[in-house]
């Protein structure tokens, strides 16, 4: 185990498949709505104090009167403003740098296999570079397409289930006029829901110069219902779909989406989920957390919040094991029961919400419209 990552009670080896931190070109941002206390619990006082300076707009800071505006995508009228007091909006890349501070991470470690011998209490992870690591517990926090989940459940049971929705995204700057017009509606984020099914979402991503709107970066999301079409792949095909739906949106969405279309790098995926189910933790040696445990859709912003809850509750369980001597298998059973129940509920709710916000007849019954970004179950 790695001495640099020693906590008060145990040592941790942190590995990642990337060759270096934030190797992926694709970036996005996310909101912390109800998991701030658990985040503080995980990262400690020093990093917690620095989070505000890493917000997408540090000068704006936090706002206890913050709201999430839901706009009629065809007429531009306000449908509803959802209260999101002190919502924290963070770019993925900056947040990863912040929480990696002080950690020694071993990169280029791509999982090949996991071994849990019957005659041992240890677990060994084999990597594609022919190295290995052995410890008491493997925590698979390896994302929606988790290889650790596949090891625990088998390829078929662990597979993501596609939904009848496509999602495109991009991060780009806008002309000063359009950028300013968006922030006049809301200075953090805004969403538009079109009667024909398209859903546009824009969130501030970075503010290099508060006095120059043309330097502000925005994260764009554009989603629409589609059950049978193949996923658009080439840049031209993706851009064609983007334009098809963007042209239908009310102003200032329409101008913003059309302006970036010629030059932006736009990604596109079919949305998918995995409805959390119990797994065999190999007698307390292998478990899951984050998107590996409950990959969900993003229209209600619950993925990161639930991942933070996982991290906090897992740490509490491990401290109970180390300090009180409670068997690891017992503390993991308690952790997993909570994660599996909460995770499954969050996945199902998020998926149903995503389908409903693309169905005009059901939009106002969706969970984002009725309960906003609040947790379904109050955090511990």
């Amino acid at each position: 185990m790695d001495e640099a990552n020693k906590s008060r009670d145990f040592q941790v080896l942190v590995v990642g498949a990337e060759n270096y931190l934030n190797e992926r070109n694709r970036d996005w941002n996310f909101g912390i709505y109800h998991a701030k206390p658990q985040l503080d619990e995980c990262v400690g006082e020093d990093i917690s104090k620095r989070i505000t300076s890493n917000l997408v707009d540090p000068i704006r800071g936090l706002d206890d009167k913050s709201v999430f505006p839901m706009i009629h995508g065809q007429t531009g009228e306000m449908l509803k403003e959802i209260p999101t007091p002190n919502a924290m909006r963070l770019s993925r890349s900056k947040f990863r740098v912040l929480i990696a501070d002080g950690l020694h991470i071993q990169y280029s470690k791509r999982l090949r296999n996991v071994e849990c011998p019957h005659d041992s209490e240890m677990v060994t992870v084999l990597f594609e570079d022919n190295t290995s690591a052995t410890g008491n517990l493997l925590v698979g926090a390896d994302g929606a397409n988790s290889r650790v989940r596949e090891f625990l459940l088998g390829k078929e049971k662990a597979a993501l289930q596609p939904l009848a929705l496509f999602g495109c995204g991009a991060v780009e700057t806008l002309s000063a006029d359009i950028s300013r017009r968006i922030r006049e509606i809301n200075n953090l984020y805004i969403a538009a829901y079109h009667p024909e099914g398209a859903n546009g979402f824009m969130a501030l991503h970075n503010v290099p110069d508060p006095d120059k709107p043309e330097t502000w970066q925005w994260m764009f999301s554009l989603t629409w219902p589609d059950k049978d079409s193949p996923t658009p792949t080439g840049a031209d095909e993706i851009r064609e779909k983007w334009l098809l739906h963007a042209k239908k949106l009310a102003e200032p969405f329409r101008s913003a989406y059309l302006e970036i279309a010629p030059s932006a790098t736009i990604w596109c995926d079919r949305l998918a989920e995995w409805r959390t189910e119990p797994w065999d933790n190999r007698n307390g040696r292998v478990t899951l957390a984050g998107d590996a445990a409950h990959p969900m859709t993003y229209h209600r912003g619950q993925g990161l919040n639930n991942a933070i809850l996982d991290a906090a509750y897992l740490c509490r369980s491990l401290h109970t094991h180390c300090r009180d001597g409670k068997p690891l298998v017992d503390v993991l059973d308690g952790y997993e029961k909570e994660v599996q129940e909460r995770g499954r509920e969050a996945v199902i709710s998020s998926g149903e919400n995503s389908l409903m916000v693309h169905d005009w007849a059901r939009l106002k019954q969706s969970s984002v419209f009725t309960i906003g970004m609040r947790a379904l179950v109050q955090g511990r």
Side-chain angles (χ1 to χ4, degrees), residues 15-43:
V15 300
E18 292 179 310
N19 293 311
Y20 51 87
L21 187 64
N22 291 328
E23 179 184 20
R24 271 174 96 176
N25 287 329
R26 178 171 159 183
D27 198 11
W28 59 90
N29 61 64
F30 32 51
I32 299 176
Y33 303 107
H34 56 78
K36 180 61 164 59
Q38 290 81 9
L39 177 63
D40 292 341
E41 181 181 336
C42 290
V43 301

Side-chain angles (χ1 to χ4, degrees), residues 26-299:
R26 178 171 159 183
D27 198 11
W28 59 90
N29 61 64
F30 32 51
I32 299 176
Y33 303 107
H34 56 78
K36 180 61 164 59
Q38 290 81 9
L39 177 63
D40 292 341
E41 181 181 336
C42 290
V43 301
E45 185 177 357
D46 177 59
I47 290 179
S48 182
K49 288 179 178 178
R50 292 155 54 195
I51 289 176
T52 305
S53 63
N54 282 268
L55 297 173
V56 293
D57 184 0
I59 294 177
R60 173 190 177 274
L62 300 179
D63 181 2
D64 62 2
K65 294 182 174 58
S66 176
V67 295
F68 174 62
M70 303 178 72
I71 306 294
H72 191 302
Q74 188 173 49
T75 67
E77 68 179 304
M78 184 71 68
L79 294 173
K80 189 173 184 178
E81 291 186 316
I82 303 294
T84 54
N86 294 315
M88 306 182 73
R89 202 81 198 171
L90 297 150
S91 81
R92 176 181 180 270
S93 58
K94 287 184 178 180
F95 184 60
R96 281 162 58 89
V97 170
L98 178 66
I99 61 176
D101 188 22
L103 295 179
H104 176 62
I105 302 173
Q106 294 190 19
Y107 293 103
S108 305
K109 296 295 182 182
R110 296 169 180 83
L111 182 66
R112 180 163 57 88
N113 200 9
V114 179
E115 295 179 349
C116 294
H118 294 295
D119 58 352
S120 171
E121 295 182 353
M122 308 297 278
V123 54
T124 296
V125 182
L126 308 175
F127 300 108
E128 290 183 1
D129 63 359
N130 294 320
T131 62
S132 64
T134 298
N136 303 95
L137 175 65
L138 167 63
V139 181
D142 51 337
N145 293 291
S146 170
R147 294 287 301 278
V148 179
R149 186 176 73 236
E150 186 177 313
F151 163 75
L152 289 173
L153 290 158
K155 192 167 186 176
E156 184 176 341
K157 289 186 72 175
L160 290 170
Q161 299 303 307
L163 298 175
L165 295 169
F166 279 126
C168 285
V171 173
E172 191 57 88
T173 57
L174 289 165
S175 62
D177 177 62
I178 297 177
S179 199
R180 193 181 294 111
R181 285 165 60 194
I182 298 290
R183 288 200 81 176
E184 285 173 354
I185 301 173
N186 186 276
N187 63 5
L188 189 59
Y189 41 30
I190 184 173
Y193 304 87
H194 197 283
E196 293 182 18
N199 177 196
F201 173 77
M202 291 180 63
L204 199 62
H205 188 73
N206 189 27
V207 182
D209 188 334
D211 297 322
K212 294 183 177 180
E214 66 274 16
T215 68
W216 304 343
Q217 284 187 311
W218 292 90
M219 182 187 77
F220 293 77
S221 173
L222 184 61
T223 53
W224 65 90
D226 188 313
K227 183 178 180 182
D228 300 316
S229 300
T231 303
T233 52
D236 290 341
E237 185 182 3
I238 293 173
R239 189 166 286 107
E240 181 181 347
K241 292 290 187 182
W242 180 276
L243 292 171
L244 173 67
H245 296 287
K247 287 176 179 177
K248 301 174 184 178
L249 296 176
E251 293 294 349
F253 279 93
R254 184 177 186 276
S255 292
Y257 277 75
L258 296 182
E259 182 179 282
I260 73 163
S263 58
T265 299
I266 305 171
W267 52 262
C268 189
D269 296 303
R270 178 172 288 283
L271 274 60
E273 65 182 19
W274 181 72
R275 296 189 171 188
T276 312
E277 60 180 83
W279 56 81
D280 176 3
N281 64 25
R282 304 304 195 269
N283 200 33
R285 287 180 287 178
V286 185
T287 195
L288 300 173
D291 283 350
H294 39 63
M296 65 190 75
T297 57
Y298 44 75
H299 293 94

Side-chain angles (χ1 to χ4, degrees), residues 312-328:
Y313 300 163
L314 179 58
C315 284
R316 292 180 197 175
S317 297
L318 294 179
H319 284 306
T320 298
H321 163 67
C322 294
R323 292 176 178 177
D324 300 340
K326 192 172 182 179
L328 186 56

